[in-house]
Amino acid sequence: QAQLVESGGGSVQAGGSLRLSCVASTYTYSVWRMGWFRQAPGKEREGVAAIVTSNSLTFYADSVKGRFTISRDNAKTTLYLQMNSLKPEDTAMYFCAAGDYYYPPLAPNNYKYWGQGTQVTVSS
């Protein structure tokens, strides 16, 4: 039933770009809010960006503002994360998620459905 499948990860040099995609089931795509999260080895999972389904209001972590853009294609029920000016510290496993309206929007505990992740590696 509810499912999220990420793709688009890979290895790039610092300053490069990648676009991550997350294909969702119709139900999961219709959940209140969707977002991108990341987790590096030995570190806690952190919120990167989120978008509200009803009004497309977006939220970004301070570390990615001005570099990353979250968007969605309703016809394809797909969520995207455009990542520009990538830095080595962006290296992590990136996860797509869908969840409720609870605040704060970038808290992992506020998301119910999760994908399996796609690896992003940025070299100096």
Side-chain angles (χ1 to χ4, degrees), residues 25-113:
S25 67
T26 299
Y27 173 79
T28 305
Y29 191 79
S30 298
V31 170
W32 182 263
R33 186 173 61 215
M34 297 186 71
W36 288 98
F37 298 78
R38 66 187 183 187
Q39 186 168 21
K43 298 180 66 178
E44 295 296 315
R45 186 168 299 186
E46 62 177 347
V48 175
I51 184 167
V52 177
T53 302
S54 62
N55 59 15
S56 297
L57 180 65
T58 58
F59 303 87
Y60 294 94
D62 289 341
S63 61
V64 307
K65 286 181 179 178
R67 299 189 298 120
F68 291 9
T69 302
I70 188 171
S71 63
R72 54 195 295 151
D73 184 328
N74 294 338
K76 297 180 178 180
T77 62
T78 300
L79 181 73
Y80 300 99
L81 183 67
Q82 179 65 48
M83 305 185 293
N84 298 324
S85 302
L86 284 163
K87 305 175 180 179
E89 48 263 49
D90 293 319
T91 295
M93 183 73 74
Y94 283 71
F95 300 88
C96 174
D100 298 325
Y101 55 83
Y102 301 107
Y103 185 89
L106 296 182
N109 286 345
N110 290 336
Y111 290 78
K112 182 178 181 179
Y113 306 105

